[in-house]
Structures are given as structure tokens and as C-alpha cells.
Amino acid sequence: LALDEGLASTTNTMDVFYGERLPWWIDVTAKGPTGHGSRFIENTAVEQLLELTKKALAFRQGQKDQLGMKEHENCTHAVLKQKQLGDVISLNITTL
């Protein structure tokens, strides 16, 4: 029997999933105008990345809210209100 990484447990009970959860690695390329620092340039690549980041973090917060997690309660699936970690999408922005 081989088990992959799963949910953290505070007991000897392990959660087993029959569905496959796979990471989705994405590469994002933003293009926009460049120019001199003496002007306000609109719709730059960085502005686009910030907008995408805000949307991703809002989605992430929505998924966390479904768990009923409070801030800094990272592996407390035993006390979750509505759904469990396997029921939601965990999204983490790790590099930019």
C-alpha cells in the first residue's frame, strides 16, 4: 500500500481520497506599454499582474471562507464548519 501526501491529522486516522488532486502550474505573461517615469502610463504589465493577483487572492479567500477557517488556522480540518480541505481548491501564489 502506498499513500501520497494527504491532509494533516491529529489522530491515527488517515483520510483516503479516491479522486486525484493534481497541481495546476500556470505561467502568466503580461504585456503592456513602457515609457518614461515622468508620465503616468496606463495598463502596464505590472498593473495587469496586480489585478490578476487580486482576483486570485479573492478566489483563495472565498475557498477558505467555505471551510470556516479563521486566520492562521492552517491545518485544522478536524474543526471545520462547512466543508473539508478536499472539498475546496487550495490556491497558493508562491512566486511572482
Side-chain angles (χ1 to χ4, degrees):
L1 175 65
L3 296 176
D4 196 0
E5 179 182 355
L7 298 174
S9 177
T10 58
T11 67
N12 289 332
T13 303
M14 287 191 239
D15 293 324
V16 177
F17 299 96
Y18 59 87
E20 188 67 35
R21 290 183 60 126
L22 297 172
W24 287 13
W25 297 93
I26 61 169
D27 290 320
V28 176
T29 301
K31 296 181 180 182
T34 60
H36 194 270
S38 65
R39 299 177 186 219
F40 289 104
I41 304 162
E42 300 297 327
N43 201 31
T44 64
V46 172
E47 288 177 326
Q48 294 172 43
L49 290 173
L50 287 174
E51 186 63 30
L52 177 63
T53 301
K54 285 193 286 186
K55 289 179 181 180
L57 292 176
F59 176 81
R60 181 180 194 268
Q61 186 61 50
Q63 297 295 297
K64 284 177 64 177
D65 290 346
Q66 291 183 47
L67 296 175
M69 293 177 74
K70 295 178 185 169
E71 193 172 345
H72 305 298
E73 286 186 274
N74 195 13
C75 287
T76 57
H77 66 282
V79 295
L80 300 176
K81 294 182 196 172
Q82 300 164 19
K83 293 186 176 184
Q84 293 185 351
L85 285 173
D87 298 330
V88 298
I89 298 170
S90 54
L91 177 112
N92 296 295
I93 300 174
T94 56
T95 59
L96 188 59

